[in-house]
């Protein structure tokens, strides 16, 4: 598996398997299929409600723990954030049936971000989370977190796809040593992504699908991806992107698809701040 090296030396597969919106009762089978297909990075979250199913699939797979890269995410915590973050981490770890995580991400840039981050730094120092990072952080918040804390996030997982490419932001993250990991890398199929003429035309040339072109484009940009699929044939397709290389002209034509705007939610939108901040998990 091709990987990227994070800012603390940890190796992370450049393509992994995301399980958002896979119902808990279907997740064990999906992760079992993904591991059999060759995925070694699994991306879940406390808020997805399927950590236990991911854990069962890991346990039954027979894949050695050291060959896996498991990510989960901390949801917004009530005060006292440090104590509650530690508790939330232990809950996730127990649900996953693991004794350490490869990557622990702060899921949203809300709440007592500093308290949450200090607790995550402690987990990292104790070796319980080999790497720590964030998700959905915009440039100002990311830079503030980096400047005013000891450990810089290894990863920022943000919406990134051909219609929202984050090129300028990726440059800033590179300068700061933060790896961009795309969520919604296929834009969940929105905006006609899978029938887009530019992407389809490039795919035809290489005998590849639109999904493969998109993932290859991400690989060539140094963007890590975690495509979600419940179908084994698509899981395999989405890993099979290492035998082609897009030309500079093809990369440039994909660059023209960027609209510079989200297709999901803007984390500066006040209604989104209220909605995501009001949510609490049962633990
Ligand atoms: P996505 O990967 O952009 O798209 C998934 C959709 O594409 C599914 O409907 C899937 O359908 C379809 N699909 C997958 N492979 C395909 C292929 N080769 N050809 C055609 N269709 C294909 O969406 P996502 O699940 O939102 O994002 C990926 C992962 O990012 C998530 O699972 C999650 O782990 C993470 N995520 C994180 C955040 C965050 O806030 N940090 C937010 C959203 C997502 P089938 O399943 O039917 O194949």
């Amino acid at each position: 598996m091709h990987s990227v090296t994070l800012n603390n030396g940890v190796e992370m597969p450049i393509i992994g398997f995301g399980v958002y919106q896979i119902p808990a009762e279907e997740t064990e089978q999906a992760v079992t299929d993904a591991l059999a297909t060759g995925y070694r990075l699994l991306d879940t979250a406390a808020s997805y409600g399927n950590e236990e199913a991911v854990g069962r699939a890991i346990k039954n797979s027979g894949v050695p723990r050291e060959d896996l890269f498991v990510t989960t995410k901390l949801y917004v915590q009530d005060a006292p954030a440090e104590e509650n973050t530690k508790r939330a981490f232990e809950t996730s770890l127990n649900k996953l049936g693991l004794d350490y995580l490869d990557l622990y991400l702060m899921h949203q840039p809300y709440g007592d971000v500093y308290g949450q981050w200090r607790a995550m730094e402690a987990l990292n120092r104790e070796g319980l989370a080999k790497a720590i990072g964030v998700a959905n952080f915009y440039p100002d918040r990311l830079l503030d977190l980096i400047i005013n804390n000891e450990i810089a996030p290894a990863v920022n997982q943000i919406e990134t796809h051909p219609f929202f490419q984050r090129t300028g932001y990726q440059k800033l993250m590179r300068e700061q040593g933060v790896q961009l990991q795309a969520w919604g890398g296929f834009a969940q199929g929105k905006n006609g992504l899978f029938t887009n003429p530019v992407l389809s035309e490039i795919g035809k040339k290489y005998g590849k699908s639109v999904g493969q072109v998109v993932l290859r484009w991400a690989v060539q940009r140094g963007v890590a991806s975690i495509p979600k699929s419940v179908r084994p044939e698509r899981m395999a397709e989405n890993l099979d992107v290492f035998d082609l290389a897009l030309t500079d002209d093809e990369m440039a034509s994909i660059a023209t698809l960027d609209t510079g705007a989200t297709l999901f939610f803007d984390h500066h939108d006040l209604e989104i701040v209220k909605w995501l901040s009001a949510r609490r998990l049962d633990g």
Side-chain angles (χ1 to χ4, degrees):
M1 173 55 70
H2 298 246
S3 63
V4 289
T5 306
L6 303 180
N7 60 12
N8 61 355
V10 167
E11 295 280 314
M12 180 177 86
I14 197 162
I15 297 184
F17 185 68
V19 300
Y20 177 47
Q21 289 176 329
I22 306 184
E25 63 279 11
E26 290 172 34
T27 303
E28 185 175 347
Q29 187 60 51
V31 174
T32 299
D33 292 342
L35 290 172
T37 304
Y39 288 85
R40 289 297 174 263
L41 183 155
L42 303 171
D43 181 273
T44 184
S47 70
Y48 299 171
N50 54 17
E51 288 172 313
E52 281 159 314
V54 170
R56 281 196 301 277
I58 290 174
K59 190 171 170 217
N60 296 332
S61 70
V63 178
R65 174 67 184 94
E66 62 273 19
D67 292 351
L68 290 174
F69 189 105
V70 183
T71 304
T72 194
K73 311 186 191 85
L74 170 77
Y75 204 73
V76 181
Q77 296 300 308
D78 288 317
E82 288 184 65
E83 204 178 305
N84 285 332
T85 295
K86 200 163 173 271
R87 191 175 307 128
F89 175 84
E90 281 161 10
T91 302
S92 284
L93 211 57
N94 286 339
K95 285 187 174 174
L96 286 161
L98 300 177
D99 53 13
Y100 70 91
L101 277 183
D102 295 280
L103 178 63
Y104 197 38
L105 298 178
M106 194 186 306
H107 205 153
Q108 302 293 349
Y110 304 135
D112 180 0
V113 166
Y114 274 75
Q116 294 170 174
W117 188 251
R118 273 193 295 273
M120 292 171 69
E121 286 182 327
L123 293 166
N124 183 229
R125 286 194 194 95
E126 288 164 40
L128 292 168
K130 303 292 178 200
I132 52 173
V134 294
N136 300 306
F137 270 57
Y138 283 0
D140 55 338
R141 291 191 178 221
L142 183 72
L143 203 54
D144 170 71
L145 194 76
I146 293 170
I147 292 170
N148 295 298
N149 286 284
E150 283 179 21
I151 301 177
V155 168
N156 186 15
Q157 188 181 104
I158 52 173
E159 177 190 346
T160 308
H161 46 71
F163 306 124
F164 193 24
Q165 302 190 5
R166 320 301 286 258
T167 315
Y169 192 15
Q170 185 186 12
K171 186 168 173 288
L172 172 79
M173 282 194 248
R174 262 214 185 106
E175 287 162 8
Q176 298 294 330
V178 182
Q179 173 65 43
L180 195 169
Q181 188 177 48
W183 69 250
F186 295 146
Q188 290 178 13
K190 284 178 190 244
N191 221 14
L193 179 122
F194 290 114
T195 53
N196 179 276
V198 171
L199 301 170
S200 305
E201 201 53 41
I202 295 172
K204 257 186 230 150
K205 175 177 155 190
Y206 295 102
K208 294 283 185 184
S209 69
V210 165
Q212 289 170 314
V213 171
V214 171
L215 288 164
R216 180 67 210 181
W217 163 78
V219 166
Q220 288 186 213
R221 290 182 60 201
V223 168
S225 300
I226 41 172
K228 170 263 172 188
S229 178
V230 292
R231 305 170 202 231
E233 66 282 7
R234 286 183 179 169
M235 294 176 191
E237 185 183 314
N238 294 344
L239 269 189
D240 181 19
V241 300
F242 296 102
D243 60 351
L244 76 157
L246 304 180
T247 64
D248 290 346
D249 283 351
E250 287 158 352
M251 293 296 283
S253 65
I254 298 174
T256 66
L257 302 178
D258 193 12
T259 66
T262 176
L263 286 179
F264 296 90
F265 23 64
D266 179 347
H267 283 74
H268 289 137
D269 179 332
L270 302 186
E271 290 309 314
I272 292 296
V273 178
K274 284 187 210 160
W275 174 56
L276 290 173
S277 300
R279 192 162 171 223
R280 284 296 177 273
L281 306 181
D282 297 326

